[in-house]
Amino acid sequence: MKLKKLGAFAATGAMALALALTGCGSSNATSGSDAGSNGSDDVKVEKVDGSKEYALVKDGTLTVGTSAEYAPFEYKDDNGDYQGFDLELIKAIADKLGLDVEYVNNDFDTLVPGVASGAKYDVSIAAITNTPEREKEVAFSDSYYMDDQAIVTKVDNTDITADNYSEKLNNADATIIVQSGSTAEAFAQENFPKAKIVPYKDATECFSALQSDKGDAVVTNRSVASQLTAEQFNTCQTIKQISTGEEYAIAVNQGNTKLKDDINQAIKDLTDDGTVDALMAKYNIK
């Protein structure tokens, strides 16, 4: 796979199509509430190659924290079922580990602390960029996708363009909308320090705010901007993509080393057998 699609996978092998995935709504995947369990136990999970010990919130289940308002990576469909590239990937990983899956939906900025606590989630997957700041709280798996940042405005806004966006947005009169706790928020703060930065809890709220003229632009990841402007928010447009090479990875509790190692092996296996390529094609992720 080309670097722009999956940069970190250069270290984990080439891809060839083989495994057919079931969707997130299969019998051993369940949806969770907004609050995770408050306990953590050591359990043994029997695997084909022998037993492995993981510290799990719930015996035999991988409790997955996510923020399901970030299509095409994680979202709920019209029936309220969990869908998305990330959620199908973590389901395939859990299958490799012999675990059921329970999704717990919550605000994005709660996910890393929830994993770090060891009591809410075993892992979190939600287009989470591996950053030095987050590594102080959690461990990260090998990365599985590389993304960039994008500047989104309303279609009828002819004042801000790809040529002048830096000047237009970096002033005291500009309001930039971002997802709270995201790398887009950090990017906006660093690159547009004079602007007013307004965080919202998820991508859908960000785009709804822009559509309602509550800001001049949204800063978000390229893949999400592409999906949302093509489907739900066609009054908005991406005017600029900025190469930042952000690597998405799965957040794991720092003490859960065996779980992280087995997740990394599963990522490699799913890369080698073509599952990741198939999921990228399914969700039109480039």
Side-chain angles (χ1 to χ4, degrees):
M1 184 177 291
K2 293 181 180 178
L3 181 64
K4 74 171 186 176
K5 287 171 58 181
L6 199 61
F9 269 153
T12 58
M15 299 186 180
L17 184 59
L19 183 66
L21 269 185
T22 57
C24 293
S26 61
S27 60
N28 65 340
T30 59
S31 59
S33 66
D34 287 345
S37 171
N38 58 6
S40 178
D41 301 303
D42 289 337
V43 300
K44 281 191 176 182
V45 179
E46 293 298 325
K47 297 179 61 186
V48 174
D49 60 348
S51 63
K52 294 286 184 181
E53 290 185 356
Y54 306 132
L56 297 175
V57 170
K58 184 182 295 186
D59 189 354
T61 298
L62 190 68
T63 303
V64 179
T66 194
S67 185
E69 292 284 351
Y70 210 66
F73 294 97
E74 42 273 323
Y75 61 96
K76 289 185 179 182
D77 63 19
D78 293 340
N79 296 319
D81 295 326
Y82 286 94
Q83 304 290 345
F85 174 84
D86 280 353
L87 301 186
E88 289 209 41
L89 177 62
I90 198 66
K91 170 64 171 60
I93 290 170
D95 286 346
K96 290 275 187 183
L97 304 186
L99 298 173
D100 292 340
V101 170
E102 181 175 347
Y103 303 114
V104 181
N105 193 28
N106 215 328
D107 294 347
F108 180 82
D109 56 8
T110 70
L111 298 182
V112 167
V115 172
S117 75
K120 282 193 171 184
Y121 325 119
D122 301 312
V123 300
S124 281
I125 188 167
I128 302 173
T129 301
N130 181 347
T131 67
E133 292 77 16
R134 289 170 180 163
E135 283 186 334
K136 294 175 183 177
E137 296 186 70
V138 296
F140 279 100
S141 71
D142 294 336
S143 58
Y144 60 85
Y145 185 78
M146 183 175 285
D147 210 344
D148 300 308
Q149 291 294 329
I151 310 295
V152 179
T153 64
K154 290 186 70 175
V155 172
D156 60 7
N157 184 348
T158 59
D159 188 44
I160 303 173
T161 68
D163 294 326
N164 69 14
Y165 76 93
S166 182
E167 175 188 353
K168 290 288 186 178
L169 293 179
N170 191 29
N171 70 76
D173 295 326
T175 298
I176 300 174
I177 298 166
V178 296
Q179 182 176 6
S180 178
S182 68
T183 52
E185 182 177 25
F187 177 89
Q189 290 170 341
E190 180 179 352
N191 290 275
F192 310 112
K194 296 178 181 179
K196 180 181 179 182
I197 310 296
V198 180
Y200 287 79
K201 73 174 185 176
D202 58 54
T204 302
E205 285 197 359
C206 289
F207 278 76
S208 295
L210 179 64
Q211 195 165 250
S212 300
D213 297 317
K214 294 180 179 179
D216 299 294
V218 167
V219 176
T220 189
N221 287 107
R222 165 182 53 80
S223 300
V224 171
S226 176
Q227 177 107 357
L228 291 183
T229 55
E231 297 180 1
Q232 295 172 256
F233 299 96
N234 56 14
T235 61
C236 303
Q237 62 181 348
T238 297
I239 61 166
K240 183 70 175 181
Q241 294 183 4
I242 302 163
S243 179
T244 53
E246 298 174 26
E247 296 182 357
Y248 293 170
I250 299 164
V252 186
N253 185 276
Q254 289 177 342
N256 224 341
T257 304
K258 289 183 180 180
L259 179 60
K260 186 189 77 169
D261 290 345
D262 284 358
I263 286 173
N264 284 340
Q265 183 61 50
I267 290 173
K268 181 182 186 305
D269 293 343
L270 294 166
T271 302
D272 291 345
D273 70 20
T275 298
V276 175
D277 265 344
L279 287 175
M280 293 180 76
K282 176 178 179 178
Y283 289 100
N284 194 28
I285 297 173
K286 300 177 180 179

